[in-house]
Amino acid sequence: HFARGAVVKKTKLTEEFGMYSFLEKFPSAIPLFLVSEAGELSVFTQESKPQSGPGQTLISIVETEASAQTPKTPSVGLDY
């Protein structure tokens, strides 16, 4: 992903822009971590998908427009 120009992105989740909105906007994103308002870190794995909510910060790998145009291999099978 990074070789093609993907970046690590920090996104504050809100009532209006939650996890589903994020994944609609960035369908190939790979969520890595959720940081609570208290600073607690939760890690996304195939077995563990932390519950997201307003006020949390999502850290993820997101393709840039340039990287999205490069042929890619399938990403990790995370199902939300």
Side-chain angles (χ1 to χ4, degrees):
H1 295 284
F2 294 116
R4 294 191 310 266
V7 297
V8 174
K9 182 171 181 57
K10 175 176 80 169
T11 305
K12 184 81 165 189
L13 300 178
T14 66
E15 288 285 340
E16 297 80 25
F17 191 80
M19 180 63 102
Y20 289 107
S21 298
F22 175 84
L23 291 173
E24 284 180 357
K25 184 172 182 175
F26 303 103
S28 62
I30 301 172
L32 301 174
F33 309 105
L34 269 178
V35 183
S36 73
E37 291 181 286
E40 296 173 350
L41 182 74
S42 299
V43 180
F44 283 87
T45 67
Q46 287 195 0
E47 294 81 30
S48 172
K49 294 163 188 72
Q51 191 73 350
S52 62
Q56 294 177 317
T57 300
L58 173 65
I59 310 295
S60 58
I61 297 173
V62 177
E63 292 184 355
T64 61
E65 284 188 34
S67 68
Q69 296 172 6
T70 304
K72 55 189 166 206
T73 57
S75 60
V76 178
L78 297 174
D79 181 25
Y80 300 95

